[in-house]
Amino acid sequence: MSTTFLTDSTANATPLTLDSALSAQVQVLGDALREKGWTVSSAESCTGGGVAFAFTSVAGSSDWFNQSWVTYSNDAKQSILGVTEQTLKEYGAVSKQTVIEMENTKRKLNRCLAAIATKYVNTLLALRLLT
């Protein structure tokens, strides 16, 4: 059984917007990436797509933002990001070890030069040269 949710009204819709200070920071990051000819990809967990939202809220981000994976469940972390069951059991989903495994997989898949991972929110930013 499936349920379909439809609406034809946008009268009460409020668009999501990015805080102006954060938007300015993302713009600076995007300009630097564009200048270097790099792109960024994100692998997120606890942030639930917040990094991708911040990036795509800036006009022209398609020049430097490549893609994002939101893997909130442990199953998704394993099947999409390559995190091992052993790591999740031993260290937990929000751990340095989990982020390292997320980083290693995404760097390989994206042929990245460098990757930046934040420890506590399981966010990975993978930078690569545009080809």
Side-chain angles (χ1 to χ4, degrees), residues 63-85:
D63 292 345
W64 49 267
F65 180 61
N66 189 39
Q67 60 191 322
S68 179
W69 299 268
V70 178
T71 55
Y72 201 72
S73 73
N74 285 350
D75 286 343
K77 286 177 186 62
Q78 291 174 312
S79 64
I80 297 170
L81 299 179
V83 177
T84 65
E85 183 177 4

Side-chain angles (χ1 to χ4, degrees), residues 22-108:
L22 180 56
S23 181
Q25 292 174 341
V26 171
Q27 185 67 56
V28 169
L29 172 65
D31 290 345
L33 291 167
R34 186 181 296 109
E35 183 178 309
K36 291 187 178 290
W38 291 8
T39 62
V40 64
S41 296
S42 64
E44 302 182 60
S45 179
C46 297
T47 53
V51 171
F53 170 74
F55 288 170
T56 58
S57 294
V58 174
S61 61
S62 61
D63 292 345
W64 49 267
F65 180 61
N66 189 39
Q67 60 191 322
S68 179
W69 299 268
V70 178
T71 55
Y72 201 72
S73 73
N74 285 350
D75 286 343
K77 286 177 186 62
Q78 291 174 312
S79 64
I80 297 170
L81 299 179
V83 177
T84 65
E85 183 177 4
Q86 178 182 349
T87 297
L88 291 167
K89 284 183 178 179
E90 189 171 336
Y91 300 103
V94 183
S95 67
K96 178 181 178 179
Q97 292 79 4
T98 296
V99 172
I100 288 169
E101 288 188 25
M102 290 167 62
E103 172 186 354
N104 290 337
T105 299
K106 290 302 129 197
R107 270 205 317 206
K108 289 175 189 171

